[in-house]
Amino acid sequence: LPQPLPAPSDEGRALVARFVASDKVAIVAMESCEFCWTIFKLLRAIGVRYTVLNFDALEYAPNNLGNVIRASVQELTGAVTFPQVFVNGEFIGGAADACIKWKKGELQPLLEAAGATAADGEWNGYKGDPFEFLPKWMTKNPLRSK
């Protein structure tokens, strides 16, 4: 059974706050998370630079810091799934949320307002369905158009 998370700490809260403020697009993620890979692939496709904090990385293993980070970001957002995506310091949801926002034309203005756009100003010409980046085992997902 999964072990309970430690309580959020001042150290964890401060680390998360600094990280979220560190870039126009900041993502708290896990190295081994297919949904995290979804948002990375979408952002690369549209030419948006981002910064990642992988709380399951070895560097955060000492003193269980990775789980303290996880507990602290969950406390901040109220979300328990990952990735957790921040644009201009604001939590916008996870990978599926970002894909839905893209399809509705809602993510583009958030990224533009943050100054997080592709160098060409045209989202690298991306015209695809962002759900193409979901894990392939989700091919029956009704959100997919392909």
Side-chain angles (χ1 to χ4, degrees), residues 3 7 20 22 55-56 64 70-71 85 93 106 109 117-118 131 134 137 143:
Q3 297 299 307
V20 166
S22 73
F55 64 83
D56 63 339
N64 206 18
R70 181 179 191 159
V85 182
E106 297 171 356
T117 58
F131 288 107
L134 283 171
W137 54 264
L143 298 173

Side-chain angles (χ1 to χ4, degrees), residues 46-48 117-124:
I46 63 174
V48 170
T117 58
D120 68 0
E122 298 293 325
W123 308 113
N124 275 354

Side-chain angles (χ1 to χ4, degrees), residues 24-101:
K24 297 169 185 173
V25 178
I27 304 168
V28 180
M30 297 169 47
E31 291 179 337
S32 58
C33 169
E34 289 181 288
F35 292 95
C36 299
W37 304 339
T38 296
I39 189 64
F40 303 155
K41 290 174 186 176
L42 171 60
L43 293 173
R44 282 193 304 266
I46 63 174
V48 170
R49 193 179 64 78
Y50 58 91
T51 302
V52 178
L53 187 160
N54 286 310
F55 64 83
D56 63 339
L58 217 43
E59 69 184 286
Y60 299 115
N63 301 315
N64 206 18
L65 181 57
N67 281 327
V68 171
I69 292 167
R70 181 179 191 159
S72 299
V73 77
Q74 287 180 190
E75 176 187 66
L76 173 67
T77 65
V80 297
T81 58
F82 290 88
Q84 294 193 17
V85 182
F86 296 83
V87 176
N88 219 19
E90 297 293 321
F91 176 60
I92 67 156
D97 301 308
C99 290
I100 290 168
K101 286 180 188 317

Side-chain angles (χ1 to χ4, degrees), residues 35 131 134-144 146:
F35 292 95
F131 288 107
L134 283 171
K136 298 306 176 211
W137 54 264
M138 291 192 71
T139 56
K140 300 291 186 215
N141 186 313
L143 298 173
R144 281 184 181 271
K146 297 179 188 180

